[in-house]
Amino acid sequence: MHILLRLGAAAAALAALAAQRLRKPQPVQYDVVVVGGGVMGVWSAIAAARQNRTVCLVEKYTEGHARGSSHGDGRIYRFAYADEIYVDMMYLSLSYWGELNDATSKVLAHTGGVSLYSGQGGNYDSHGGLDDLTKIYRKRGLAHEKLSRKKLKERFPQFSAPKNTTALYQPDFGVLFADVAMARAYELARKLKVDVREGSDVVSVKRRADSVEVRLGNKERIVGRSCIVAPGAWLTSIAKKWFNLHVPTTVTRETVSYFKPKGSKAVYGYKRMPVFISDLNNGLGDLGYYGIPIVKTQGVKVAAHHVGQTLDEKALRSHDHQGDPSIIEANQRFVASFFPGLEATPFRSESCLYTTTPDYHYVLDKVPGAGAPIILAGGGSGHAFKMGPAIGDAAAALALGVKLPF
């Protein structure tokens, strides 16, 4: 009798434990879990969903938030790269962005673009000077035209370039309407049945033999057969904390300024003015300037490139969106040199984040080690937004073990 009572008590305890487990939320399982909902993350989710896989996209904030690097009214897209892989990625990305265009909600516009060279032997962003770009354009059959200072003024009267300036015109440049493009990408993700979790803070990602467990701040667990981590400015700290992996990046707080035309705004709008990049010395760094005609904000956007203040992890948590006075002054110098038709002082300046690798190339690879695949995607280095679809395709291919798209 005593033994039977003991067995009965054990059975009751096991039944109670089983009932407790049934009441406890069980982890949800997907083929792919994507951590981070910026441009790389949302396009990774889209790419995996297009492979008929179940996908969960986890974003700490909300769709289209302004705390990272995937927001704003306009971003340049361009083929101005001496590295052929970037040309391939640009072709692929443009095809995907183009699919999101419709009559009521355009995500891009072909404006043409000019690469402006001062004759000082500099580069815009380390990816190629005048001779390098001319060579790659010829090789890849990309239309282009070299313009003297005088011809630049005749073709595009907005520009009044300094002496010794040479322009390389390429008609396939353009502008992406960033906020609209991100909104449409999220619409596509949801249409493809991606489970989008906004306002969900991920505290850990742990690899198992055949799965990856993503734990949220509310203690919920999401399990995937694979995981793509696209954490933006937090890449270095997260790689170290979650995977004990050293991924060197520098996070900088860059400043863009908007300048009003003195006359007609239409002349400086994206329908009549090209985007531009320049190697002109900005006085703060080695990589010149870039700019965009009027899109939504009613001014020409000008920014010195890769010159912002470096942010550590503490500063990253608390940074504001105010412009840096020294960069605003540099932006004013550029306008004074090239655009006499713009007001000398910007009516608005704001900050954005760059997460830059030592060689300005992206981070896109598997986290080393045995077990289920975990992919790191990041290090946009100030030139990744336009290539978000291609980066997403590659990240999904690595996660799913299929052929890379380029």
Short mmCIF file of all heavy atoms in Angstrom, two decimals, residues 115-141:
data_model
loop_
_atom_site.label_atom_id
_atom_site.label_comp_id
_atom_site.label_asym_id
_atom_site.label_seq_id
_atom_site.Cartn_x
_atom_site.Cartn_y
_atom_site.Cartn_z
N SER A 115 29.14 62.10 -61.53
CA SER A 115 30.28 61.94 -60.63
C SER A 115 31.23 63.09 -60.92
O SER A 115 31.72 63.23 -62.05
CB SER A 115 30.98 60.59 -60.87
OG SER A 115 30.06 59.52 -60.73
N LEU A 116 31.47 63.93 -59.93
CA LEU A 116 32.22 65.17 -60.10
C LEU A 116 33.64 64.99 -59.59
O LEU A 116 33.84 64.66 -58.41
CB LEU A 116 31.53 66.30 -59.35
CG LEU A 116 30.08 66.57 -59.76
CD1 LEU A 116 29.38 67.44 -58.73
CD2 LEU A 116 30.03 67.24 -61.14
N TYR A 117 34.62 65.24 -60.46
CA TYR A 117 36.02 65.05 -60.09
C TYR A 117 36.76 66.38 -60.17
O TYR A 117 36.68 67.10 -61.16
CB TYR A 117 36.67 64.00 -60.99
CG TYR A 117 36.09 62.63 -60.71
CD1 TYR A 117 35.03 62.15 -61.46
CD2 TYR A 117 36.56 61.86 -59.66
CE1 TYR A 117 34.46 60.90 -61.18
CE2 TYR A 117 36.01 60.62 -59.38
CZ TYR A 117 34.97 60.16 -60.13
OH TYR A 117 34.41 58.94 -59.84
N SER A 118 37.47 66.67 -59.09
CA SER A 118 38.09 67.99 -58.93
C SER A 118 39.48 68.07 -59.52
O SER A 118 40.08 69.15 -59.53
CB SER A 118 38.17 68.32 -57.43
OG SER A 118 38.99 67.36 -56.77
N GLY A 119 40.02 66.93 -59.98
CA GLY A 119 41.39 66.92 -60.48
C GLY A 119 42.43 66.79 -59.39
O GLY A 119 43.63 66.89 -59.63
N GLN A 120 41.97 66.52 -58.15
CA GLN A 120 42.88 66.36 -57.02
C GLN A 120 43.26 64.90 -56.77
O GLN A 120 43.98 64.59 -55.83
CB GLN A 120 42.25 66.95 -55.76
CG GLN A 120 41.97 68.44 -55.87
CD GLN A 120 41.18 68.98 -54.69
OE1 GLN A 120 40.83 68.24 -53.78
NE2 GLN A 120 40.88 70.27 -54.71
N GLY A 121 42.73 64.00 -57.60
CA GLY A 121 43.10 62.59 -57.49
C GLY A 121 42.39 61.84 -56.40
O GLY A 121 42.78 60.74 -56.02
N GLY A 122 41.30 62.40 -55.88
CA GLY A 122 40.59 61.73 -54.80
C GLY A 122 39.53 60.77 -55.30
O GLY A 122 39.25 60.69 -56.50
N ASN A 123 38.92 60.04 -54.38
CA ASN A 123 37.81 59.16 -54.68
C ASN A 123 36.60 59.63 -53.90
O ASN A 123 36.72 60.27 -52.86
CB ASN A 123 38.11 57.71 -54.29
CG ASN A 123 39.11 57.06 -55.22
OD1 ASN A 123 39.26 57.48 -56.36
ND2 ASN A 123 39.82 56.07 -54.72
N TYR A 124 35.42 59.25 -54.38
CA TYR A 124 34.22 59.59 -53.63
C TYR A 124 34.08 58.69 -52.41
O TYR A 124 33.86 59.13 -51.31
CB TYR A 124 32.98 59.50 -54.52
CG TYR A 124 31.70 59.43 -53.72
CD1 TYR A 124 31.29 60.52 -52.97
CD2 TYR A 124 30.94 58.27 -53.68
CE1 TYR A 124 30.14 60.46 -52.20
CE2 TYR A 124 29.78 58.21 -52.93
CZ TYR A 124 29.39 59.30 -52.19
OH TYR A 124 28.26 59.22 -51.43
N ASP A 125 34.20 57.38 -52.60
CA ASP A 125 33.97 56.49 -51.46
C ASP A 125 34.86 55.25 -51.47
O ASP A 125 34.50 54.21 -50.93
CB ASP A 125 32.51 56.05 -51.40
CG ASP A 125 32.10 55.22 -52.61
OD1 ASP A 125 32.96 55.00 -53.48
OD2 ASP A 125 30.94 54.80 -52.67
N SER A 126 36.02 55.34 -52.07
CA SER A 126 37.01 54.27 -52.14
C SER A 126 36.67 53.20 -53.16
O SER A 126 37.39 52.24 -53.29
CB SER A 126 37.24 53.60 -50.77
OG SER A 126 36.26 52.61 -50.49
N HIS A 127 35.57 53.35 -53.87
CA HIS A 127 35.17 52.31 -54.82
C HIS A 127 35.46 52.67 -56.26
O HIS A 127 34.96 52.04 -57.18
CB HIS A 127 33.68 51.98 -54.65
CG HIS A 127 33.38 51.32 -53.35
ND1 HIS A 127 33.92 50.11 -52.99
CD2 HIS A 127 32.63 51.72 -52.30
CE1 HIS A 127 33.49 49.78 -51.78
NE2 HIS A 127 32.72 50.74 -51.34
N GLY A 128 36.27 53.70 -56.50
CA GLY A 128 36.69 53.96 -57.86
C GLY A 128 36.77 55.42 -58.22
O GLY A 128 35.86 56.20 -57.91
N GLY A 129 37.85 55.80 -58.89
CA GLY A 129 38.00 57.14 -59.40
C GLY A 129 37.49 57.25 -60.82
O GLY A 129 36.87 56.32 -61.37
N LEU A 130 37.76 58.38 -61.47
CA LEU A 130 37.24 58.65 -62.81
C LEU A 130 37.66 57.58 -63.81
O LEU A 130 36.82 57.04 -64.55
CB LEU A 130 37.74 60.03 -63.26
CG LEU A 130 37.37 60.48 -64.67
CD1 LEU A 130 35.86 60.59 -64.81
CD2 LEU A 130 38.03 61.82 -64.98
N ASP A 131 38.94 57.25 -63.86
CA ASP A 131 39.41 56.25 -64.83
C ASP A 131 38.84 54.87 -64.53
O ASP A 131 38.49 54.12 -65.45
CB ASP A 131 40.94 56.20 -64.82
CG ASP A 131 41.57 57.48 -65.36
OD1 ASP A 131 40.87 58.22 -66.09
OD2 ASP A 131 42.74 57.74 -65.04
N ASP A 132 38.74 54.52 -63.23
CA ASP A 132 38.19 53.21 -62.85
C ASP A 132 36.74 53.08 -63.29
O ASP A 132 36.33 52.03 -63.81
CB ASP A 132 38.27 53.03 -61.33
CG ASP A 132 39.70 52.98 -60.82
OD1 ASP A 132 40.54 52.37 -61.49
OD2 ASP A 132 39.97 53.58 -59.76
N LEU A 133 35.96 54.13 -63.07
CA LEU A 133 34.55 54.06 -63.44
C LEU A 133 34.36 54.03 -64.95
O LEU A 133 33.52 53.29 -65.46
CB LEU A 133 33.80 55.25 -62.84
CG LEU A 133 33.70 55.28 -61.32
CD1 LEU A 133 32.82 56.44 -60.88
CD2 LEU A 133 33.15 53.97 -60.77
N THR A 134 35.14 54.82 -65.67
CA THR A 134 35.05 54.80 -67.13
C THR A 134 35.33 53.40 -67.67
O THR A 134 34.63 52.89 -68.57
CB THR A 134 36.04 55.81 -67.74
OG1 THR A 134 35.75 57.12 -67.25
CG2 THR A 134 35.93 55.82 -69.26
N LYS A 135 36.32 52.76 -67.09
CA LYS A 135 36.69 51.40 -67.52
C LYS A 135 35.56 50.41 -67.25
O LYS A 135 35.22 49.59 -68.13
CB LYS A 135 37.96 50.97 -66.78
CG LYS A 135 38.48 49.60 -67.19
CD LYS A 135 39.77 49.28 -66.44
CE LYS A 135 40.28 47.88 -66.81
NZ LYS A 135 41.55 47.57 -66.07
N ILE A 136 34.97 50.45 -66.07
CA ILE A 136 33.92 49.48 -65.75
C ILE A 136 32.65 49.76 -66.55
O ILE A 136 31.96 48.84 -66.98
CB ILE A 136 33.63 49.45 -64.23
CG1 ILE A 136 32.86 48.17 -63.85
CG2 ILE A 136 32.84 50.67 -63.78
CD1 ILE A 136 33.67 46.93 -63.90
N TYR A 137 32.35 51.04 -66.80
CA TYR A 137 31.18 51.36 -67.61
C TYR A 137 31.33 50.80 -69.02
O TYR A 137 30.38 50.25 -69.59
CB TYR A 137 30.97 52.87 -67.69
CG TYR A 137 30.52 53.53 -66.40
CD1 TYR A 137 30.54 54.92 -66.26
CD2 TYR A 137 30.05 52.79 -65.32
CE1 TYR A 137 30.13 55.54 -65.09
CE2 TYR A 137 29.64 53.39 -64.15
CZ TYR A 137 29.68 54.79 -64.04
OH TYR A 137 29.27 55.39 -62.89
N ARG A 138 32.53 50.93 -69.58
CA ARG A 138 32.77 50.39 -70.92
C ARG A 138 32.64 48.87 -70.92
O ARG A 138 32.03 48.28 -71.82
CB ARG A 138 34.15 50.81 -71.40
CG ARG A 138 34.25 52.28 -71.81
CD ARG A 138 35.69 52.67 -72.10
NE ARG A 138 35.81 54.07 -72.53
CZ ARG A 138 36.95 54.73 -72.54
NH1 ARG A 138 38.09 54.11 -72.16
NH2 ARG A 138 36.99 55.98 -72.92
N LYS A 139 33.23 48.25 -69.91
CA LYS A 139 33.21 46.78 -69.85
C LYS A 139 31.80 46.24 -69.73
O LYS A 139 31.46 45.22 -70.35
CB LYS A 139 34.06 46.31 -68.66
CG LYS A 139 34.15 44.80 -68.54
CD LYS A 139 35.06 44.39 -67.40
CE LYS A 139 35.15 42.86 -67.29
NZ LYS A 139 36.03 42.45 -66.16
N ARG A 140 30.96 46.92 -68.93
CA ARG A 140 29.62 46.41 -68.67
C ARG A 140 28.57 47.02 -69.61
O ARG A 140 27.37 46.74 -69.46
CB ARG A 140 29.24 46.69 -67.22
CG ARG A 140 30.12 46.01 -66.19
CD ARG A 140 30.11 44.50 -66.34
NE ARG A 140 28.82 43.92 -66.08
CZ ARG A 140 28.44 43.42 -64.91
NH1 ARG A 140 29.29 43.41 -63.89
NH2 ARG A 140 27.23 42.92 -64.74
N GLY A 141 28.99 47.80 -70.57
CA GLY A 141 28.05 48.37 -71.52
C GLY A 141 27.11 49.40 -70.93
O GLY A 141 25.97 49.56 -71.39
#
